[in-house]
Amino acid sequence: MAFEKVKRSENYSEWYNNLVKNADMAEHADVKGCMVIKPYGYAIWEKMQAQLDKMFKKTGHVNAYFPLLIPKSFFEKEEKNAEGFAKECAVVTHYRLKVDENRKIVVDEDAKLEEELIIRPTSEAIIWNTYKGWIQSYRDLPILINQWANVMRWEMRTRLFLRTSEFLWQEGHTAHSTSDEAIAETKQMLDVYAEFAEKFLAVPVIRGVKTENERFAGAVETYCIEGLMQDGKALQMGTSHFLGQNFAKAFDVKFQSKEGKLEHVWATSWGVSTRLIGALIMAHSDDEGLVLPPSLAPIQVVIVPIYRSDEERQKVEAAAEQIKLKLEDLDLSVKFDNRDTYKPGYKFAEWELKGVPVRIAIGPRDIENGTVELARRDTKEKSVTSIDGIDLHIKNLLNEIQSAIYERAKLFRDQSIHTVNSWDEFKEVLETKGGFISAHWDGTGETEEKIKELTKATIRCIPLDNIEEEGKCVLTGNPSKQRVLFAKAY
RNA sequence: CGGGGUGUAGCGUAGCCCGGUAUCGCGUCUGCUUUGGGAGCAGAAGGUCGUAGGUUCGAAUCCUGCCACCCCGACCA
């Protein structure tokens, strides 16, 4: 393994890329913009999935699966949605290849599709086309479905996990009989995302509403959670959309109400993706490697044995195995790294690189004393602890680490929200400090665009807990009723 | 997609300007010694020089196309 050290402070994106590769999470595939998610990275995704899935089910949702391919005509039905994604859609035009006279594989022009198929960039179209057949009466509502899937958006510039052409995600698509119920669902799922981000990813997020410019194509309102990465850039970590009756109207999905009236169905959609793995990396990791929150770490505890002779090795391994069993009884995932081919120092560095929250080192000295050496990844603190009661001790330590990294991220985030009142200040803070900028905005798309043009900062959101406050737009000086959060974003 | 850069063994690189069959480090393999923070010594294996063409007696080196990646823009979860 190449332990190439690039510091966060020197080149943040190189640091990020090296980390993803060195920690063995993913690599670029030989397909433009696509990545191979390697077992260690995928294990993190599986843990995320398991937890989110549990939360979705707890809020009454069920899973289903819809096709990858969407007929172009379906896709066109909701104009705004189609327009919003048009520039990044992969299109299937043929269904067969053949071997030509040069023994090369070529597209068989005789196998051209009557109607092109779009590889889903998102599934509203195919799902609402399907829901049309499922909904006749208010008794058929609500429909609360989630799907775990891959989608494809032909991005110009990709980055491992943060933006790849193909990515994995979940998308919830719900149908409701009233606007209020759909809005409540939208907000509920936003809360689920926020809770997941903060409790499991240990990344503090700001809940907010997107401006019209930043809204999902086809939505009436887009809610989001925004996180802050260590380089001061914001990352949209999840969105929940109130779709109004836009898709119901586009796909002619009506239901008969209790009163016997025909009405269009109200809709929501919400999603989070493998981008969250990127968030996890960028929010917590350091120059030594990954720092994973215990609740999502594929390996929570690693045990590294230390020995000289075979005799010592046997004793140490026996003790290590026992500790492993004890920890596993508490449902912790434990790796006993008994490879004889690497020295302890190497293993220490490797598991630090991979972000394992707690490391146990156990050697002859410990066997004599009935102790082990514990090292926590987040603070790099080491301590000697008695083997007696170590299982509970570690369980508590993991909880402590979970909250410590959250608190650290929160402190950083809170310190990175800057309130500014003038355009000069806005520019200066953005350039020198980064982070979120809380500033007055006149509410127009033009001003938002202009600011983006001038500074590359966008309005990340209008926070849900915003306080009404009279002020003047930081750019135009026009009257404003509230502050919004600006930032440079991924 | 626009501007700039890079591509040589699993990884990182020298060589390129000025054409003559590829350097070094890490890693890998074998053996011995080691093992509480990335081990030492000895030996060995490993290369279509991103790719497709072109120029040339001869191309990693010169020319052209393409691809990928990085940095800066535009686009975006």
mmCIF file of all heavy atoms in Angstrom, chain B residues 3-18:
data_model
loop_
_atom_site.group_PDB
_atom_site.id
_atom_site.type_symbol
_atom_site.label_atom_id
_atom_site.label_comp_id
_atom_site.label_asym_id
_atom_site.label_seq_id
_atom_site.Cartn_x
_atom_site.Cartn_y
_atom_site.Cartn_z
ATOM 1 P P G B 3 -9.672 25.863 -25.235
ATOM 2 O OP1 G B 3 -9.042 26.278 -26.500
ATOM 3 O OP2 G B 3 -9.852 24.427 -24.937
ATOM 4 O "O5'" G B 3 -8.896 26.516 -24.017
ATOM 5 C "C5'" G B 3 -8.770 27.927 -23.907
ATOM 6 C "C4'" G B 3 -8.096 28.268 -22.610
ATOM 7 O "O4'" G B 3 -9.034 28.062 -21.519
ATOM 8 C "C3'" G B 3 -6.915 27.380 -22.228
ATOM 9 O "O3'" G B 3 -5.722 27.722 -22.905
ATOM 10 C "C2'" G B 3 -6.837 27.609 -20.727
ATOM 11 O "O2'" G B 3 -6.276 28.857 -20.416
ATOM 12 C "C1'" G B 3 -8.332 27.600 -20.372
ATOM 13 N N9 G B 3 -8.772 26.230 -20.057
ATOM 14 C C8 G B 3 -9.471 25.363 -20.860
ATOM 15 N N7 G B 3 -9.695 24.203 -20.311
ATOM 16 C C5 G B 3 -9.088 24.307 -19.050
ATOM 17 C C6 G B 3 -8.997 23.362 -17.989
ATOM 18 O O6 G B 3 -9.441 22.209 -17.950
ATOM 19 N N1 G B 3 -8.297 23.879 -16.900
ATOM 20 C C2 G B 3 -7.758 25.140 -16.845
ATOM 21 N N2 G B 3 -7.117 25.455 -15.720
ATOM 22 N N3 G B 3 -7.838 26.039 -17.823
ATOM 23 C C4 G B 3 -8.519 25.553 -18.884
ATOM 24 P P G B 4 -4.631 26.570 -23.236
ATOM 25 O OP1 G B 4 -3.557 27.178 -24.021
ATOM 26 O OP2 G B 4 -5.352 25.391 -23.749
ATOM 27 O "O5'" G B 4 -4.066 26.201 -21.791
ATOM 28 C "C5'" G B 4 -3.176 27.091 -21.122
ATOM 29 C "C4'" G B 4 -2.871 26.575 -19.745
ATOM 30 O "O4'" G B 4 -4.111 26.335 -19.031
ATOM 31 C "C3'" G B 4 -2.167 25.227 -19.671
ATOM 32 O "O3'" G B 4 -0.784 25.290 -19.959
ATOM 33 C "C2'" G B 4 -2.457 24.825 -18.231
ATOM 34 O "O2'" G B 4 -1.668 25.553 -17.318
ATOM 35 C "C1'" G B 4 -3.921 25.273 -18.107
ATOM 36 N N9 G B 4 -4.808 24.152 -18.456
ATOM 37 C C8 G B 4 -5.540 23.961 -19.610
ATOM 38 N N7 G B 4 -6.211 22.833 -19.623
ATOM 39 C C5 G B 4 -5.900 22.243 -18.399
ATOM 40 C C6 G B 4 -6.322 21.006 -17.827
ATOM 41 O O6 G B 4 -7.082 20.163 -18.309
ATOM 42 N N1 G B 4 -5.766 20.798 -16.576
ATOM 43 C C2 G B 4 -4.905 21.663 -15.947
ATOM 44 N N2 G B 4 -4.459 21.297 -14.748
ATOM 45 N N3 G B 4 -4.501 22.823 -16.455
ATOM 46 C C4 G B 4 -5.033 23.049 -17.675
ATOM 47 P P G B 5 -0.100 24.032 -20.716
ATOM 48 O OP1 G B 5 1.288 24.423 -21.016
ATOM 49 O OP2 G B 5 -0.997 23.583 -21.803
ATOM 50 O "O5'" G B 5 -0.098 22.913 -19.586
ATOM 51 C "C5'" G B 5 0.815 23.000 -18.508
ATOM 52 C "C4'" G B 5 0.456 22.008 -17.436
ATOM 53 O "O4'" G B 5 -0.976 21.999 -17.219
ATOM 54 C "C3'" G B 5 0.755 20.550 -17.725
ATOM 55 O "O3'" G B 5 2.129 20.232 -17.591
ATOM 56 C "C2'" G B 5 -0.102 19.861 -16.674
ATOM 57 O "O2'" G B 5 0.463 19.948 -15.393
ATOM 58 C "C1'" G B 5 -1.363 20.727 -16.716
ATOM 59 N N9 G B 5 -2.382 20.132 -17.605
ATOM 60 C C8 G B 5 -2.813 20.589 -18.828
ATOM 61 N N7 G B 5 -3.741 19.825 -19.367
ATOM 62 C C5 G B 5 -3.926 18.799 -18.436
ATOM 63 C C6 G B 5 -4.792 17.676 -18.447
ATOM 64 O O6 G B 5 -5.603 17.340 -19.312
ATOM 65 N N1 G B 5 -4.648 16.893 -17.312
ATOM 66 C C2 G B 5 -3.778 17.161 -16.287
ATOM 67 N N2 G B 5 -3.774 16.291 -15.270
ATOM 68 N N3 G B 5 -2.960 18.215 -16.255
ATOM 69 C C4 G B 5 -3.089 18.983 -17.357
ATOM 70 P P U B 6 2.781 19.093 -18.507
ATOM 71 O OP1 U B 6 4.247 19.151 -18.306
ATOM 72 O OP2 U B 6 2.207 19.180 -19.876
ATOM 73 O "O5'" U B 6 2.220 17.767 -17.832
ATOM 74 C "C5'" U B 6 2.627 17.402 -16.526
ATOM 75 C "C4'" U B 6 1.784 16.270 -16.015
ATOM 76 O "O4'" U B 6 0.381 16.611 -16.152
ATOM 77 C "C3'" U B 6 1.886 14.956 -16.783
ATOM 78 O "O3'" U B 6 3.034 14.223 -16.429
ATOM 79 C "C2'" U B 6 0.611 14.254 -16.358
ATOM 80 O "O2'" U B 6 0.701 13.748 -15.054
ATOM 81 C "C1'" U B 6 -0.378 15.425 -16.352
ATOM 82 N N1 U B 6 -1.134 15.540 -17.623
ATOM 83 C C2 U B 6 -2.135 14.602 -17.841
ATOM 84 O O2 U B 6 -2.385 13.697 -17.058
ATOM 85 N N3 U B 6 -2.820 14.762 -19.022
ATOM 86 C C4 U B 6 -2.636 15.724 -19.964
ATOM 87 O O4 U B 6 -3.348 15.735 -20.974
ATOM 88 C C5 U B 6 -1.568 16.658 -19.680
ATOM 89 C C6 U B 6 -0.878 16.533 -18.537
ATOM 90 P P G B 7 3.654 13.202 -17.502
ATOM 91 O OP1 G B 7 4.935 12.735 -16.915
ATOM 92 O OP2 G B 7 3.626 13.763 -18.867
ATOM 93 O "O5'" G B 7 2.613 12.002 -17.454
ATOM 94 C "C5'" G B 7 2.361 11.314 -16.223
ATOM 95 C "C4'" G B 7 1.231 10.315 -16.410
ATOM 96 O "O4'" G B 7 0.124 10.981 -17.069
ATOM 97 C "C3'" G B 7 1.588 9.115 -17.285
ATOM 98 O "O3'" G B 7 0.976 7.942 -16.750
ATOM 99 C "C2'" G B 7 0.950 9.435 -18.618
ATOM 100 O "O2'" G B 7 0.545 8.296 -19.340
ATOM 101 C "C1'" G B 7 -0.284 10.221 -18.181
ATOM 102 N N9 G B 7 -0.777 11.123 -19.221
ATOM 103 C C8 G B 7 -0.214 12.292 -19.655
ATOM 104 N N7 G B 7 -0.888 12.868 -20.611
ATOM 105 C C5 G B 7 -1.960 12.028 -20.823
ATOM 106 C C6 G B 7 -3.050 12.123 -21.732
ATOM 107 O O6 G B 7 -3.263 12.991 -22.560
ATOM 108 N N1 G B 7 -3.926 11.052 -21.612
ATOM 109 C C2 G B 7 -3.779 10.019 -20.734
ATOM 110 N N2 G B 7 -4.739 9.078 -20.768
ATOM 111 N N3 G B 7 -2.786 9.909 -19.876
ATOM 112 C C4 G B 7 -1.915 10.945 -19.970
ATOM 113 P P U B 8 1.815 7.035 -15.783
ATOM 114 O OP1 U B 8 0.981 5.857 -15.506
ATOM 115 O OP2 U B 8 2.373 7.839 -14.689
ATOM 116 O "O5'" U B 8 3.015 6.576 -16.707
ATOM 117 C "C5'" U B 8 2.830 5.574 -17.697
ATOM 118 C "C4'" U B 8 4.154 4.975 -18.057
ATOM 119 O "O4'" U B 8 5.076 6.039 -18.429
ATOM 120 C "C3'" U B 8 4.872 4.272 -16.921
ATOM 121 O "O3'" U B 8 4.391 2.958 -16.711
ATOM 122 C "C2'" U B 8 6.309 4.290 -17.426
ATOM 123 O "O2'" U B 8 6.495 3.349 -18.459
ATOM 124 C "C1'" U B 8 6.384 5.701 -18.021
ATOM 125 N N1 U B 8 6.856 6.717 -17.052
ATOM 126 C C2 U B 8 8.211 6.723 -16.734
ATOM 127 O O2 U B 8 8.991 5.923 -17.203
ATOM 128 N N3 U B 8 8.583 7.692 -15.845
ATOM 129 C C4 U B 8 7.790 8.633 -15.254
ATOM 130 O O4 U B 8 8.277 9.438 -14.474
ATOM 131 C C5 U B 8 6.405 8.568 -15.618
ATOM 132 C C6 U B 8 5.998 7.631 -16.486
ATOM 133 P P A B 9 3.886 2.536 -15.287
ATOM 134 O OP1 A B 9 2.419 2.389 -15.364
ATOM 135 O OP2 A B 9 4.513 3.414 -14.288
ATOM 136 O "O5'" A B 9 4.521 1.070 -15.114
ATOM 137 C "C5'" A B 9 3.871 -0.074 -15.684
ATOM 138 C "C4'" A B 9 4.111 -1.289 -14.824
ATOM 139 O "O4'" A B 9 5.521 -1.605 -14.853
ATOM 140 C "C3'" A B 9 3.734 -1.126 -13.358
ATOM 141 O "O3'" A B 9 3.197 -2.347 -12.861
ATOM 142 C "C2'" A B 9 5.059 -0.865 -12.680
ATOM 143 O "O2'" A B 9 5.088 -1.288 -11.331
ATOM 144 C "C1'" A B 9 5.983 -1.739 -13.512
ATOM 145 N N9 A B 9 7.397 -1.350 -13.467
ATOM 146 C C8 A B 9 7.970 -0.246 -12.909
ATOM 147 N N7 A B 9 9.270 -0.224 -13.001
ATOM 148 C C5 A B 9 9.588 -1.383 -13.664
ATOM 149 C C6 A B 9 10.818 -1.942 -14.077
ATOM 150 N N6 A B 9 11.991 -1.380 -13.858
ATOM 151 N N1 A B 9 10.767 -3.118 -14.734
ATOM 152 C C2 A B 9 9.589 -3.696 -14.947
ATOM 153 N N3 A B 9 8.371 -3.264 -14.613
ATOM 154 C C4 A B 9 8.443 -2.099 -13.974
ATOM 155 P P G B 10 1.705 -2.744 -13.229
ATOM 156 O OP1 G B 10 1.748 -4.081 -13.811
ATOM 157 O OP2 G B 10 1.097 -1.607 -13.959
ATOM 158 O "O5'" G B 10 1.012 -2.862 -11.798
ATOM 159 C "C5'" G B 10 -0.376 -2.692 -11.629
ATOM 160 C "C4'" G B 10 -0.642 -2.245 -10.213
ATOM 161 O "O4'" G B 10 0.125 -3.087 -9.318
ATOM 162 C "C3'" G B 10 -0.167 -0.832 -9.916
ATOM 163 O "O3'" G B 10 -1.166 0.116 -10.201
ATOM 164 C "C2'" G B 10 0.166 -0.893 -8.437
ATOM 165 O "O2'" G B 10 -1.005 -0.795 -7.649
ATOM 166 C "C1'" G B 10 0.723 -2.307 -8.304
ATOM 167 N N9 G B 10 2.191 -2.364 -8.498
ATOM 168 C C8 G B 10 2.859 -3.066 -9.465
ATOM 169 N N7 G B 10 4.157 -2.939 -9.389
ATOM 170 C C5 G B 10 4.356 -2.106 -8.304
ATOM 171 C C6 G B 10 5.558 -1.607 -7.729
ATOM 172 O O6 G B 10 6.711 -1.808 -8.093
ATOM 173 N N1 G B 10 5.303 -0.778 -6.642
ATOM 174 C C2 G B 10 4.055 -0.472 -6.171
ATOM 175 N N2 G B 10 4.021 0.339 -5.114
ATOM 176 N N3 G B 10 2.916 -0.928 -6.680
ATOM 177 C C4 G B 10 3.154 -1.736 -7.744
ATOM 178 P P C B 11 -0.781 1.544 -10.743
ATOM 179 O OP1 C B 11 -2.051 2.224 -11.069
ATOM 180 O OP2 C B 11 0.287 1.453 -11.757
ATOM 181 O "O5'" C B 11 -0.183 2.215 -9.443
ATOM 182 C "C5'" C B 11 -1.033 2.647 -8.383
ATOM 183 C "C4'" C B 11 -0.210 3.342 -7.327
ATOM 184 O "O4'" C B 11 0.778 2.402 -6.792
ATOM 185 C "C3'" C B 11 0.640 4.503 -7.812
ATOM 186 O "O3'" C B 11 -0.103 5.689 -7.940
ATOM 187 C "C2'" C B 11 1.707 4.588 -6.726
ATOM 188 O "O2'" C B 11 1.197 5.182 -5.557
ATOM 189 C "C1'" C B 11 1.964 3.107 -6.459
ATOM 190 N N1 C B 11 3.079 2.583 -7.288
ATOM 191 C C2 C B 11 4.380 2.910 -6.906
ATOM 192 O O2 C B 11 4.550 3.619 -5.904
ATOM 193 N N3 C B 11 5.422 2.442 -7.644
ATOM 194 C C4 C B 11 5.190 1.692 -8.720
ATOM 195 N N4 C B 11 6.248 1.255 -9.409
ATOM 196 C C5 C B 11 3.862 1.361 -9.133
ATOM 197 C C6 C B 11 2.845 1.822 -8.396
ATOM 198 P P G B 12 0.327 6.754 -9.016
ATOM 199 O OP1 G B 12 -0.707 7.808 -8.966
ATOM 200 O OP2 G B 12 0.637 6.069 -10.291
ATOM 201 O "O5'" G B 12 1.675 7.337 -8.436
ATOM 202 C "C5'" G B 12 1.660 8.103 -7.235
ATOM 203 C "C4'" G B 12 3.068 8.447 -6.836
ATOM 204 O "O4'" G B 12 3.807 7.230 -6.588
ATOM 205 C "C3'" G B 12 3.896 9.158 -7.879
ATOM 206 O "O3'" G B 12 3.581 10.533 -7.974
ATOM 207 C "C2'" G B 12 5.305 8.916 -7.341
ATOM 208 O "O2'" G B 12 5.589 9.748 -6.242
ATOM 209 C "C1'" G B 12 5.180 7.467 -6.865
ATOM 210 N N9 G B 12 5.634 6.538 -7.910
ATOM 211 C C8 G B 12 4.881 5.819 -8.811
ATOM 212 N N7 G B 12 5.610 5.088 -9.626
ATOM 213 C C5 G B 12 6.916 5.361 -9.252
ATOM 214 C C6 G B 12 8.149 4.869 -9.756
ATOM 215 O O6 G B 12 8.336 4.075 -10.686
ATOM 216 N N1 G B 12 9.240 5.408 -9.074
ATOM 217 C C2 G B 12 9.157 6.290 -8.035
ATOM 218 N N2 G B 12 10.310 6.700 -7.506
ATOM 219 N N3 G B 12 8.024 6.752 -7.546
ATOM 220 C C4 G B 12 6.948 6.247 -8.191
ATOM 221 P P U B 13 3.938 11.305 -9.295
ATOM 222 O OP1 U B 13 3.951 12.738 -8.961
ATOM 223 O OP2 U B 13 3.099 10.808 -10.397
ATOM 224 O "O5'" U B 13 5.434 10.809 -9.526
ATOM 225 C "C5'" U B 13 6.292 11.460 -10.412
ATOM 226 C "C4'" U B 13 7.695 11.003 -10.126
ATOM 227 O "O4'" U B 13 7.691 9.583 -9.851
ATOM 228 C "C3'" U B 13 8.657 11.160 -11.282
ATOM 229 O "O3'" U B 13 9.194 12.465 -11.291
ATOM 230 C "C2'" U B 13 9.702 10.102 -10.997
ATOM 231 O "O2'" U B 13 10.621 10.540 -10.029
ATOM 232 C "C1'" U B 13 8.849 8.982 -10.385
ATOM 233 N N1 U B 13 8.417 7.957 -11.366
ATOM 234 C C2 U B 13 9.380 7.106 -11.900
ATOM 235 O O2 U B 13 10.551 7.195 -11.599
ATOM 236 N N3 U B 13 8.895 6.178 -12.787
ATOM 237 C C4 U B 13 7.594 6.006 -13.184
ATOM 238 O O4 U B 13 7.316 5.123 -13.989
ATOM 239 C C5 U B 13 6.658 6.906 -12.606
ATOM 240 C C6 U B 13 7.095 7.835 -11.736
ATOM 241 P P A B 14 9.410 13.190 -12.692
ATOM 242 O OP1 A B 14 9.620 14.624 -12.400
ATOM 243 O OP2 A B 14 8.354 12.765 -13.635
ATOM 244 O "O5'" A B 14 10.801 12.561 -13.140
ATOM 245 C "C5'" A B 14 11.938 12.755 -12.330
ATOM 246 C "C4'" A B 14 13.138 12.072 -12.922
ATOM 247 O "O4'" A B 14 12.972 10.625 -12.864
ATOM 248 C "C3'" A B 14 13.400 12.315 -14.400
ATOM 249 O "O3'" A B 14 13.966 13.582 -14.641
ATOM 250 C "C2'" A B 14 14.374 11.181 -14.704
ATOM 251 O "O2'" A B 14 15.676 11.490 -14.232
ATOM 252 C "C1'" A B 14 13.799 10.051 -13.849
ATOM 253 N N9 A B 14 13.007 9.104 -14.646
ATOM 254 C C8 A B 14 11.647 8.935 -14.712
ATOM 255 N N7 A B 14 11.258 7.976 -15.527
ATOM 256 C C5 A B 14 12.453 7.489 -16.031
ATOM 257 C C6 A B 14 12.742 6.458 -16.950
ATOM 258 N N6 A B 14 11.803 5.722 -17.538
ATOM 259 N N1 A B 14 14.038 6.229 -17.253
ATOM 260 C C2 A B 14 14.973 6.970 -16.652
ATOM 261 N N3 A B 14 14.829 7.965 -15.770
ATOM 262 C C4 A B 14 13.531 8.166 -15.503
ATOM 263 P P G B 15 13.701 14.367 -15.976
ATOM 264 O OP1 G B 15 14.605 15.532 -16.024
ATOM 265 O OP2 G B 15 12.239 14.559 -16.121
ATOM 266 O "O5'" G B 15 14.163 13.306 -17.075
ATOM 267 C "C5'" G B 15 15.542 13.148 -17.388
ATOM 268 C "C4'" G B 15 15.708 12.023 -18.362
ATOM 269 O "O4'" G B 15 14.991 10.871 -17.880
ATOM 270 C "C3'" G B 15 15.121 12.281 -19.749
ATOM 271 O "O3'" G B 15 16.075 12.937 -20.569
ATOM 272 C "C2'" G B 15 14.827 10.882 -20.256
ATOM 273 O "O2'" G B 15 15.960 10.291 -20.844
ATOM 274 C "C1'" G B 15 14.478 10.129 -18.963
ATOM 275 N N9 G B 15 13.024 9.982 -18.800
ATOM 276 C C8 G B 15 12.174 10.836 -18.137
ATOM 277 N N7 G B 15 10.930 10.439 -18.173
ATOM 278 C C5 G B 15 10.964 9.262 -18.910
ATOM 279 C C6 G B 15 9.918 8.390 -19.293
ATOM 280 O O6 G B 15 8.718 8.469 -19.054
ATOM 281 N N1 G B 15 10.400 7.311 -20.043
ATOM 282 C C2 G B 15 11.708 7.112 -20.364
ATOM 283 N N2 G B 15 11.973 6.016 -21.093
ATOM 284 N N3 G B 15 12.690 7.918 -20.015
ATOM 285 C C4 G B 15 12.249 8.967 -19.300
ATOM 286 P P C B 16 15.795 14.415 -21.098
ATOM 287 O OP1 C B 16 16.993 14.822 -21.850
ATOM 288 O OP2 C B 16 15.282 15.222 -19.983
ATOM 289 O "O5'" C B 16 14.605 14.197 -22.125
ATOM 290 C "C5'" C B 16 14.811 13.465 -23.327
ATOM 291 C "C4'" C B 16 13.578 13.527 -24.189
ATOM 292 O "O4'" C B 16 12.465 12.945 -23.454
ATOM 293 C "C3'" C B 16 13.148 14.937 -24.588
ATOM 294 O "O3'" C B 16 12.708 14.925 -25.932
ATOM 295 C "C2'" C B 16 11.993 15.240 -23.636
ATOM 296 O "O2'" C B 16 11.017 16.088 -24.221
ATOM 297 C "C1'" C B 16 11.396 13.858 -23.411
ATOM 298 N N1 C B 16 10.754 13.673 -22.099
ATOM 299 C C2 C B 16 9.386 13.368 -22.040
ATOM 300 O O2 C B 16 8.741 13.262 -23.084
ATOM 301 N N3 C B 16 8.807 13.181 -20.829
ATOM 302 C C4 C B 16 9.541 13.301 -19.726
ATOM 303 N N4 C B 16 8.933 13.093 -18.559
ATOM 304 C C5 C B 16 10.931 13.623 -19.756
ATOM 305 C C6 C B 16 11.490 13.803 -20.954
ATOM 306 P P C B 17 13.746 15.340 -27.070
ATOM 307 O OP1 C B 17 13.119 15.033 -28.356
ATOM 308 O OP2 C B 17 15.074 14.785 -26.744
ATOM 309 O "O5'" C B 17 13.803 16.916 -26.900
ATOM 310 C "C5'" C B 17 12.686 17.724 -27.244
ATOM 311 C "C4'" C B 17 12.899 19.101 -26.715
ATOM 312 O "O4'" C B 17 13.094 19.028 -25.274
ATOM 313 C "C3'" C B 17 14.145 19.815 -27.218
ATOM 314 O "O3'" C B 17 13.897 20.419 -28.477
ATOM 315 C "C2'" C B 17 14.401 20.836 -26.116
ATOM 316 O "O2'" C B 17 13.587 21.979 -26.257
ATOM 317 C "C1'" C B 17 13.973 20.055 -24.870
ATOM 318 N N1 C B 17 15.119 19.429 -24.181
ATOM 319 C C2 C B 17 15.706 20.111 -23.118
ATOM 320 O O2 C B 17 15.246 21.211 -22.788
ATOM 321 N N3 C B 17 16.764 19.561 -22.472
ATOM 322 C C4 C B 17 17.236 18.379 -22.853
ATOM 323 N N4 C B 17 18.272 17.876 -22.179
ATOM 324 C C5 C B 17 16.662 17.659 -23.930
ATOM 325 C C6 C B 17 15.616 18.215 -24.570
ATOM 326 P P C B 18 15.089 20.590 -29.495
ATOM 327 O OP1 C B 18 16.062 21.565 -28.961
ATOM 328 O OP2 C B 18 14.420 20.826 -30.794
ATOM 329 O "O5'" C B 18 15.794 19.178 -29.540
ATOM 330 C "C5'" C B 18 16.537 18.788 -30.688
ATOM 331 C "C4'" C B 18 17.545 17.734 -30.297
ATOM 332 O "O4'" C B 18 18.506 18.330 -29.381
ATOM 333 C "C3'" C B 18 16.949 16.525 -29.583
ATOM 334 O "O3'" C B 18 17.615 15.350 -29.991
ATOM 335 C "C2'" C B 18 17.245 16.808 -28.115
ATOM 336 O "O2'" C B 18 17.371 15.640 -27.347
ATOM 337 C "C1'" C B 18 18.597 17.534 -28.218
ATOM 338 N N1 C B 18 18.872 18.416 -27.076
ATOM 339 C C2 C B 18 19.820 18.013 -26.123
ATOM 340 O O2 C B 18 20.409 16.937 -26.284
ATOM 341 N N3 C B 18 20.082 18.813 -25.074
ATOM 342 C C4 C B 18 19.422 19.975 -24.948
ATOM 343 N N4 C B 18 19.704 20.714 -23.894
ATOM 344 C C5 C B 18 18.457 20.391 -25.877
ATOM 345 C C6 C B 18 18.206 19.599 -26.934
#
